[in-house]
Amino acid sequence: MFQSIIDYFSSIDPILAALYASLFTWFLTALGASFVFLFKTMNRTVLDGMLGFTGGVMVAASFWSLLAPAIEMTGGEGFAKVMPAAIGFFLGALFIFGIDKVLPHIHINFKVSEGIKSPWQRTTLLVSAITLHNIPEGLAVGVLFGGVAAGIPEASIAGAVTLAMGIGIQNFPEGIAVAMPLRRMGMSRWKSFMYGQSSAIVEPIAAVLGAFAVTFFTPILPYALAFAAGAMIFVVVEEVIPETQQDKNTDIATLGFVGGFIIMMMLDVALG
C-alpha cells in the first residue's frame, strides 16, 4: 500500500503533492478534534502522554527528515558542510521566537497569555498557540516536496510522504489536546471541534509556500530544511515539553516522548 501511495504522489506535480500531503495532516487533526463529540473531558494523564508523544515525533522528524538530509546535500567538508544547516536551524528558531513575542496566544496548561497584549478571548489565544505550532510542520512537508520538484537527489517522494505520515500521526492527539480543553471550558461540541481543526489549516498554506520557495530558489533547500527543523525544535522546547510538566505526569509524558521519537525514527528509516 505504501508503494501505491508513493507511485501516486510521484505521478503528480510535487507542489500539488505538498498540498495533498498537508491536507492529510490537517485531516488527522480534525479527526482528533472530533473526539469532543464522544467525550466531554479527557484524563490529564492521557493528555500529557499524548503531548509528550507529539514532542517526540517532532524532534525525531527534525533530525531524520530535515537536518540529516540538509547536511547530506551540502557540499564541502568540515564546518563548510554543516554551516547551511546550522544557519537555517538558528533562523528557524529565531523566526518562531519572533512570532512568539508578537502573536497573542496562551498555551493549554498556562493561565498567562504571551505576545502583544490583546482583548482576544482565551479560546482564541489557545488556538493561536497551536496555529503557531503548526507553521513549521506544514513548512517541513512543503520544502521536502519542493526539493523533489527541484530534482535534488537527497529529497525523495518517499521521504516527504513519510514525514507527512509522521506529522499526521502526531496531529491526531494534538487535535484532541486542543479541542478537549475548549470543551472543558464550556464551549459547545461543535465550536470546540471547529476551533480544534482550524488550528491546522495553516499547514497546507505553509506547505505550498515552502514548496514554491524551494522550487524557484533551489540553493536554499538545505537552509529551508534546517529552518523547519529549528522552528519545530523551538516549539517543542518552549511549548510542548513545558505543558507536559505542569502536573504530576512527567514520567508518562516522557515515555510518550520516547514512544513518539521511536515511531518517527522507524518510519523515516524504514520507509523514507
Side-chain angles (χ1 to χ4, degrees):
M1 181 178 179
F2 182 73
Q3 187 57 49
S4 298
I5 296 173
I6 298 302
D7 292 341
Y8 172 74
F9 276 97
S10 299
S11 67
I12 62 177
D13 181 81
I15 294 177
L16 186 61
L19 175 62
Y20 288 165
S22 55
L23 284 173
F24 166 77
T25 65
W26 162 81
F27 170 75
L28 287 185
T29 304
L31 189 63
S34 69
F35 269 48
V36 294
F37 294 111
L38 303 175
F39 309 100
K40 184 174 182 178
T41 60
M42 177 162 287
N43 185 280
R44 178 62 184 271
T45 302
V46 175
L47 184 61
D48 285 341
M50 290 192 298
L51 286 172
F53 177 88
T54 293
V57 170
M58 292 177 70
V59 170
S62 295
F63 176 75
W64 296 101
S65 298
L66 301 171
L67 278 177
I71 294 171
E72 185 180 349
M73 67 180 61
T74 303
E77 296 181 356
F79 284 107
K81 187 173 182 62
V82 77
M83 281 306 294
I87 293 171
F89 189 89
F90 174 74
L91 291 177
L94 191 64
F95 172 72
I96 298 298
F97 172 80
I99 295 180
D100 192 64
K101 294 302 179 185
V102 174
L103 180 69
H105 65 283
I106 188 170
H107 301 308
I108 295 172
N109 295 320
F110 289 76
K111 296 181 179 180
V112 180
S113 62
E114 299 180 10
I116 295 175
K117 291 185 178 180
S118 169
W120 293 356
Q121 295 182 350
R122 179 176 171 83
T123 52
T124 306
L125 294 172
L126 274 171
V127 175
S128 295
I130 303 299
T131 300
L132 173 65
H133 176 163
N134 285 326
I135 292 174
E137 296 176 5
L139 186 63
V141 173
V143 295
L144 269 182
F145 277 106
V148 174
I152 305 298
E154 291 81 4
S156 68
I157 288 290
V161 170
T162 300
L163 176 61
M165 288 173 58
I167 290 177
I169 289 171
Q170 65 93 24
N171 273 4
F172 177 75
E174 186 176 282
I176 298 174
V178 178
M180 283 298 181
L182 298 179
R183 176 62 179 152
R184 191 170 59 245
M185 289 164 55
M187 186 173 287
S188 71
R189 285 185 170 88
W190 178 249
K191 284 188 176 181
S192 297
F193 167 75
M194 291 302 296
Y195 274 111
Q197 62 82 29
S198 66
S199 65
I201 289 294
V202 70
E203 290 191 12
I205 299 171
V208 171
L209 290 176
F212 265 117
V214 171
T215 300
F216 290 104
F217 303 99
T218 305
I220 72 169
L221 182 58
Y223 296 91
L225 289 171
F227 182 96
M232 288 174 70
I233 293 297
F234 186 94
V235 167
V236 171
V237 176
E238 194 272 340
E239 176 186 339
V240 178
I241 292 179
E243 286 183 7
T244 66
Q245 307 300 305
Q246 296 299 302
D247 212 327
K248 300 178 181 179
N249 304 314
T250 56
D251 289 342
I252 297 297
T254 302
L255 290 173
F257 181 97
V258 171
F261 187 98
I262 291 172
I263 288 175
M264 187 64 219
M265 178 179 66
M266 292 176 64
L267 283 174
D268 200 280
V269 173
L271 303 178

